[in-house]
Structures are given as C-alpha cells and as structure tokens.
Amino acid sequence: MSSENKPGYTHFGYEQVPAGEKQSRVAGVFSSVARRYDLMNDLMSMGIHRLWKRFAVDLAGVRPGETVLDVAGGSGDLTKAFRRAAGPQGQVILSDINAAMLGEGRRRLIDAGVSGVPLVQANAECLPFADASFDCITIGFGLRNVTDKDAALRSMRRCLKPGGRLLVLEFSKPVIEPLSRAYDKYSFKVLPLLGRYVAQDEASYRYLAESIRMHPDQATLKDMMEGAGLERVQVYNLTGGIVAVHRGFRLQ
C-alpha cells in the first residue's frame, strides 16, 4: 500500500480521502468505540498496553510541580499517572479532539479518585496554549490519527518550555520479519472480529489496523520530530517494534 497521497488528499486507513474529511471520519470512529475503548485495548493487546504506557510514564520522568499536557489522552490512563507524579503543586491537562473520548476520560478519572485535571477539547495540529507552557507533553496512540502530523509536532514543540520533552507513544513497525507476518495476520483477521463481537463495530477496528500500517516507521517519525525542531530524539522499541516510544527535547 503506497504512502503517497494525491494533492489535497490524505489517508484514512488504506483509503485516500480529502484532507478536510479525515478529522470528521476519525471522530466518527472514536465516538463509536469510546465506551469500550479500554476493554478493547485489553483484548487487542492481551493487557500489554498497560506495560507500554507504564514505560512511557517512567521515561517521561514527571517530577512534582511540573506542568504536563496529555494530547489525545482518550480515557486518561497517562493523565492519571502524570497527575499523581506532578503532585498538588503541578498541573496536568487532558486534551482530546473527540468529545466522547473526553467524556470517557472524565468518567474514568473520577472513578479513580483523580481530581484537579482540566479537560480541553483541542486539535493537536493547533493547540490552544501559549508558547513554552509545559515541561512535558505526551501523545499516546493518537498521532497516527492526526491529519497533518508535521503540524501537530510543531504545535507540541511550540508549547514546550525550553528543556521540556515530548513523548510519542504509538504503534510502529515490527523489527523482526516473522513477528511482522504474525502481527499482520492478527491485525486483519482477529481485530475486526473482536470489533464485531465486543464493540459491535467491525469497520472501526479494521480502520485502526489499517491506520497503524500507514503510520510512519520509527526512523521516519524520528526525522519528522527533528524537522519540527526537537532535538536529542531517541527511539525505544517495545514488543519487537510493534510499539515505539519517541522522546525529543526542546532545548531552546
């Protein structure tokens, strides 16, 4: 499947659509799956997504008193961990472009007894925050759904304080060929069935499998982050490269 787009078009899974349509179509996917999003994550990853998120949280190294923005924070797993790390003197903001996902995040944070977290409905491509606002920004399993990834990386870099760090936790490309073949079979045969029988939405989970394949690989995303002005970009492959964490810094 070619990653090249016609002028004015972008990928929605394997389908090429007008760039202006992708945001609304992605919104439809996540509005549909919001209520069962975490259950499906557990089933799809056999619970390993919790370890991936824990690694990202540890790598972020949030300290008491810091300011953190969790972009495309969905159901709030990363937000919850960062709120506890930042403590009462810090601030953590949960943002997502999708109102249904924000609502799910609010519900889960309340259920976990986490308070003091502002929720902001925001587009990662044009974040509504002042320059140099945050010590740490994360985007977990959200960048692949953004229409203009370069714009989102520039926007997040702009919002970082000098010395601040951006972490991108995202599905990536397996680095071992036998794993890659097995992963493809799982993604295109098992995931849609889980979507059909658990979330009653086979099409959305087929899109999720396709969107992973269209996302830039580890080296390409590293180049994109450097092109957005981030420095000291490092890549950490998890589970054989099925998932990767990219960390970069705004040094000035």
Side-chain angles (χ1 to χ4, degrees):
M1 179 62 59
S2 172
S3 60
E4 295 296 322
N5 294 315
K6 297 184 293 184
Y9 280 68
T10 190
H11 284 288
F12 177 78
Y14 286 164
E15 183 183 358
Q16 288 206 2
V17 299
E21 288 185 10
K22 179 171 179 175
Q23 181 176 317
S24 62
R25 294 186 68 166
V26 170
V29 168
F30 284 92
S31 294
S32 173
V33 304
R35 291 294 296 176
R36 294 180 180 265
Y37 186 72
D38 282 308
L39 171 61
M40 286 298 296
N41 280 346
D42 280 329
L43 292 173
M44 289 189 300
S45 72
M46 294 171 283
I48 299 174
H49 76 100
R50 299 177 187 277
L51 299 179
W52 296 332
K53 291 171 181 174
R54 186 182 305 166
F55 180 89
V57 168
D58 290 344
L59 192 63
V62 172
R63 298 181 295 274
E66 289 196 317
T67 55
V68 182
L69 173 64
D70 186 14
V71 178
S75 55
D77 282 350
L78 295 177
T79 301
K80 179 171 61 176
F82 291 140
R83 183 73 187 93
R84 290 171 176 162
Q89 302 306 313
Q91 183 179 58
V92 180
I93 295 175
L94 170 61
S95 78
D96 202 291
I97 197 171
N98 186 279
M101 290 301 296
L102 274 181
E104 186 66 11
R106 178 187 291 110
R107 183 186 67 80
R108 288 178 58 83
L109 290 172
I110 291 171
D111 287 349
V114 178
S115 60
V117 175
L119 278 70
V120 177
Q121 188 169 1
N123 186 337
E125 298 174 21
C126 48
L127 293 169
F129 305 104
D131 294 359
S133 295
F134 299 98
D135 296 293
C136 180
I137 297 177
T138 61
I139 179 167
F141 301 113
L143 186 61
R144 74 181 186 279
N145 298 307
V146 174
T147 303
D148 189 338
K149 296 174 180 61
D150 291 307
L153 292 169
R154 290 193 300 270
S155 180
M156 289 186 282
R157 190 264 181 193
R158 176 187 63 78
C159 293
L160 282 174
K161 298 177 182 178
R165 61 272 189 207
L166 168 66
L167 284 91
V168 180
L169 170 65
E170 188 55 89
F171 291 106
S172 198
K173 301 296 186 288
V175 296
I176 305 169
E177 185 57 33
L179 176 61
S180 182
R181 291 195 298 269
Y183 183 49
D184 280 346
K185 289 182 180 178
Y186 175 78
S187 297
F188 291 103
K189 293 188 179 298
V190 177
L191 288 192
L193 290 177
L194 287 174
R196 180 194 302 175
Y197 293 114
V198 178
Q200 288 77 57
D201 189 347
E202 180 176 348
S204 290
Y205 283 89
R206 188 172 301 280
Y207 159 74
L208 293 178
E210 293 175 359
S211 71
I212 292 168
R213 299 316 184 282
M214 301 311 297
H215 185 66
D217 64 16
Q218 289 91 324
T220 303
L221 181 54
K222 180 177 184 290
D223 289 343
M224 292 169 65
M225 290 176 68
E226 291 170 344
L230 293 153
E231 300 180 66
R232 290 169 49 194
V233 179
Q234 297 170 293
V235 183
Y236 301 84
N237 284 316
L238 306 178
T239 317
I242 287 176
V243 163
V245 181
H246 288 65
R247 182 179 64 179
F249 295 82
R250 176 179 179 175
L251 295 185
Q252 53 183 309

